[in-house]
Amino acid sequence: MKRNVVNQSLSVAAVAIFLGLGLVASALANQNEVDQPKKKPQADSDEAIIQTLLSAGPESVTKHATVLSRAGKVLQQGSGEWVCRFAGLAGDTPTCLDSQSRAYFKARFQGKTPQVDRIGLTYMLHGMTTDTGMQMPPHVMVIVPDPTDLKQFPTAPQSGAPWVMKANTPYAHLIIPVGGLSMGAIPQPSGQ
């Protein structure tokens, strides 16, 4: 009987050691994953820039978008009409634009009247700072062929409601806040 108890004890010990070694190996493997996190791209690498720019719009838009560097170099060739690039005065606002929005901005920066033939969209899901210093939450810009069609909307930032920026100019466009802070919650610079 003693022999059976010893044999059972040895069997239990062997199973415990086997399981213990398996648990230790598993724990070491998991610790290795903790100690060795997945490599994140360096902030200034093309891969990091691509990730940042693609995060400016919804996946349905960015999935096939072309991605441009600050200098206009193609970092990722897309197959659709969408282009994701940096914009804004400081060139640090991630944006994704369709062809109509690109035509609008090209004309605007050349001081010409935009000629768009259908609604255009620009996604700025990181928000932005305007040329007047206004902090804007994540939003979508809507470009329309005839800016007078926007006269029904308010011309000042509203708490979460769409509003017209650059009203009564050929560059009028609709701002639709999406998620995050509403315009009413964003501190405005003095003098506005």
Side-chain angles (χ1 to χ4, degrees):
M1 183 152 167
K2 273 187 170 181
R3 184 177 259 184
N4 282 344
V5 171
V6 170
N7 284 342
Q8 285 178 347
S9 295
L10 287 174
S11 295
V12 169
V15 169
I17 289 170
F18 178 75
L19 289 174
L21 289 175
L23 292 173
V24 168
S26 176
L28 288 174
N30 288 340
Q31 184 60 42
N32 237 357
E33 288 177 18
V34 171
D35 290 345
Q36 303 292 327
K38 291 180 182 174
K39 273 191 157 182
K40 289 185 179 179
Q42 293 189 8
D44 58 351
S45 72
D46 286 354
E47 183 182 344
I49 292 168
I50 290 168
Q51 285 179 5
T52 297
L53 290 172
L54 292 180
S55 68
E59 185 181 358
S60 60
V61 163
T62 63
K63 186 175 185 177
H64 301 290
T66 296
V67 179
L68 302 178
S69 71
R70 283 182 172 85
K73 173 187 162 195
V74 175
L75 300 177
Q76 176 176 296
Q77 183 61 55
S79 59
E81 76 166 310
W82 291 91
V83 172
C84 298
R85 63 178 176 85
F86 287 105
L89 290 178
D92 60 357
T93 301
T95 60
C96 291
L97 310 92
D98 67 7
S99 60
Q100 298 301 297
S101 289
R102 290 193 311 278
Y104 163 88
F105 279 108
K106 181 177 181 180
R108 184 171 152 191
F109 292 123
Q110 292 175 348
K112 298 178 180 175
T113 299
Q115 301 296 315
V116 297
D117 55 15
R118 61 182 170 83
I119 290 176
L121 299 174
T122 302
Y123 287 92
M124 295 184 172
L125 299 185
H126 292 279
M128 70 171 289
T129 303
T130 69
D131 53 357
T132 62
M134 181 189 326
Q135 297 294 312
M136 294 181 60
H139 63 279
V140 177
M141 290 176 55
V142 180
I143 309 302
V144 296
D146 183 358
T148 61
D149 290 341
L150 300 175
K151 289 191 184 261
Q152 64 184 321
F153 293 97
T155 58
Q158 305 294 311
S159 183
W163 61 283
V164 177
M165 185 174 219
K166 305 229 178 263
N168 303 315
T169 74
Y171 310 114
H173 57 277
L174 192 63
I175 298 290
I176 303 175
V178 291
L181 296 171
S182 68
M183 288 302 300
I186 301 289
Q188 303 299 311
S190 58
Q192 285 198 290

